[in-house]
Amino acid sequence: MSPRIPSTSGVDPVDTETDQEPLVSAAVRIARELPAARPVVGVLRGWGRADREQARALRWHLAQQEIRSAELSAVPEAGERHHVPPAGKRPRVHFLLHVGGSQRAQALRAAALWNLPLLVERPPVASPFVLTGFHARRLAVIGVHLPGETLDIAVRQATITCLQPHAGNASLLLDNEKISAPADRPLRIDLTAEGVLQVRGETFATRHVRRLRYERPWSAYRLDIDGIPAHDVRAPLRLEPMLSRLHLFHP
């Protein structure tokens, strides 16, 4: 997607009170430390009204500090599947800022997919992304290699399912181990804390592997990314951990 890059004067004034002052201050500090002459902050939001208003408020506060910003959507619009940009294409921004709300997982996915640093609020204590202090941390994600050399990203989980009855078997290559599994049974792939794939099927014991290749010779199967239907695929699919792909920092 191609974001708009407005001037400081192009952001409408809003109420100057914000409960995200630490996030704004951190974004200003990072932008001023970047080597770019005029860095642009990509403000990620959902497509709901509250998300848009929150993004507008954050952009206004950034503009008061003479920091340029562009508004981006990290999630598909209503009724759309995941949008995967062409290889190497990403927004014309220098880093990303998540406005908060319910789209955190999608913001993480967008940052990893576009290979851009992401500034986020401090996560809850129960989150696997616990950080302390103002610093950065790199985390692994699941790289999903689709037909046509297209890359997608799963932050937490990918699930492969054929919805046709009597679908026959699918061929799996788990590192160097070849096995067959019923194609109509879900295959779930999670990422462990050690950065390896945990592959779970209903007809074989859980495996921990570095690479997975999935092939089904007949008709299409569905790929869900982080719980959202993402792709209908016919050709072989490859999944592998991408270490340090997700670059997070926060106030």
Side-chain angles (χ1 to χ4, degrees), residues 145-172:
H145 299 274
L146 298 161
E149 299 184 357
T150 301
L151 173 69
D152 204 346
I153 294 291
V155 175
R156 303 184 312 270
Q157 179 189 109
T159 304
I160 303 172
T161 311
C162 179
L163 302 180
Q164 291 183 331
H166 313 296
N169 288 336
S171 298
L172 280 64

Side-chain angles (χ1 to χ4, degrees), residues 233-247:
V233 187
R234 291 180 179 271
L237 188 70
R238 292 188 300 111
L239 296 92
E240 63 180 349
M242 301 186 73
L243 304 180
S244 302
R245 176 79 178 202
L246 180 57
H247 186 190

